[in-house]
Amino acid sequence: MRIAFYAPLKSPTHAVPSGDRRVGRLFIAALEAAGHEVSIVSTLRAYEPNGDHERQARIRTEGMVAASALVDQWRSGSDAKSPDLWFTYHVYYKAPDWIGPAVCEALSIPYVIAEASYAPKRAAGPWASGHTAAGKAIRAASLVLCATRSDLGCVRPVAASEAHVVWLPPFLDASPYQAAARDRIAHRAKLAAQHGLDPSIPWVAVVAMMRPGDKAASYRMLAKALGTMTDLRWQAIVAGDGIERPAIEQAFESGAPGRARFLGERGPEEIAAIYAACDLCMWPAVNEAYGMAMLEAQAAGIPVVSRNVRGVPDVV
């Protein structure tokens, strides 16, 4: 099957790492593993975080233009064959899909959404147009895959009566993490030597980008919580980088001086080794849908401590 793939929040080809980019790539890999031909048909980013009506209108216009161009391209048959199905990853009020529903209606092909969320409280706010568009996309879908059970309650009443709304928990390829776990002793010895760590005490893994907003809030919450455990011996191993790094380092130093080692941004193989070398993963997951980092940690064989909010219980 030829599948047109689109991620309105962040394209899988985006240069900046994130959980959203990661999950988009995982869906593509899963579809290809099932024998389908997947093409990323647009990199238009529909994300508008500030409730800016003018910018939302511009994005909507760009989406309509992109949809029209794709329909013309596929109808002409000059460039590529028309897809058999459209697959959109992650639709919500700040990042609606302005392209997929229009293309599917014009070409009479099925429309599928993975990770849709619907928030009725946004109906009259600054993202009202995005909220309406998200609802329209959900109603147009033949299949909606919800990554968390917390999304099902709001999505099901909006979906078309004949549509399938299915809970599909977050997933990953566990093999790199399992391989790292088998070499745990070597990874732990290497990290200890490189960063002056004591391998005889528990290590706490923290893996997240250091962005403003929810990520920074999670780091501050974690630093405060760890700062209450001064009677225990532990070391935090922090992998991540971003503009909030100085403030985050200061938060850890204020709460638990000398207890955290900041390794900066690390690639996937290094991240797997860090998880495997540690004893525990801790992350507050402020406003996160579920948290791929916690799924990765468990794949590497270490337990996770987080909060019982949103979709976190679906991965922990």
Side-chain angles (χ1 to χ4, degrees), residues 2-264:
R2 293 184 299 275
I3 297 177
F5 188 96
Y6 173 52
L9 176 57
K10 178 183 271 190
S11 173
T13 62
H14 198 282
V16 179
S18 69
D20 212 74
R21 187 187 75 170
R22 174 79 189 288
V23 177
R25 291 178 175 181
L26 283 167
F27 268 112
I28 291 173
L31 291 167
E32 290 178 339
H36 303 296
E37 179 185 327
V38 183
S39 299
I40 298 173
V41 294
S42 178
T43 58
L44 174 66
R45 195 170 194 197
Y47 180 57
E48 200 297 295
N50 302 313
D52 184 327
H53 293 286
E54 291 185 5
R55 187 160 183 268
Q56 289 174 47
R58 288 197 299 272
I59 294 171
R60 178 183 180 182
T61 299
E62 290 175 18
M64 293 170 65
V65 169
S68 179
L70 286 171
V71 170
D72 290 345
Q73 169 189 322
W74 285 324
R75 277 180 171 166
S76 70
S78 57
D79 262 350
K81 292 182 178 179
S82 174
D84 301 303
L85 178 143
W86 182 286
F87 191 106
T88 289
Y89 168 63
H90 206 167
V91 171
Y92 77 122
Y93 67 94
K94 287 186 180 180
D97 184 359
W98 298 110
I99 306 177
V103 171
C104 291
E105 183 178 4
L107 299 180
S108 298
I109 60 174
Y111 178 61
V112 174
I113 303 175
E115 195 172 335
S117 60
Y118 189 77
K121 65 182 180 181
R122 302 295 179 181
W127 292 279
S129 63
H131 168 80
T132 300
K136 182 179 178 181
I138 292 169
R139 281 189 291 274
S142 301
L143 171 65
V144 182
L145 305 173
C146 291
T148 69
R149 285 171 289 194
S150 62
D151 284 333
L152 289 172
C154 287
V155 169
R156 277 182 171 145
V158 180
S161 58
E162 68 275 12
H164 297 282
V165 180
V166 179
W167 175 48
L168 177 68
F171 59 91
L172 50 66
D173 176 4
S175 56
Y177 304 95
Q178 293 168 340
R182 289 192 289 270
D183 291 329
R184 167 182 164 81
I185 294 174
H187 291 314
R188 191 173 179 90
K190 182 178 179 181
L191 277 175
Q194 288 178 334
H195 302 284
L197 300 167
D198 182 350
S200 70
I201 65 173
W203 293 0
V204 178
V206 184
V207 179
M209 296 298 288
M210 298 178 177
R211 296 193 298 265
D214 294 335
K215 293 294 187 189
S218 290
Y219 270 113
R220 289 193 299 269
M221 184 181 292
L222 181 59
K224 184 177 180 180
L226 287 173
T228 67
M229 301 197 304
T230 53
D231 58 320
L232 302 175
R233 299 184 72 205
W234 57 267
Q235 185 79 60
I237 315 300
V238 185
D241 209 345
I243 62 173
E244 290 293 315
R245 180 169 176 173
I248 289 167
E249 289 188 1
Q250 182 57 47
F252 276 84
E253 190 62 22
S254 297
R259 297 287 194 104
R261 293 288 189 277
F262 292 87
L263 310 189

Side-chain angles (χ1 to χ4, degrees), residues 288-304:
E288 288 189 23
Y290 38 84
M292 286 299 292
M294 296 180 289
L295 196 60
E296 294 169 351
Q298 290 168 107
I302 65 172
V304 169

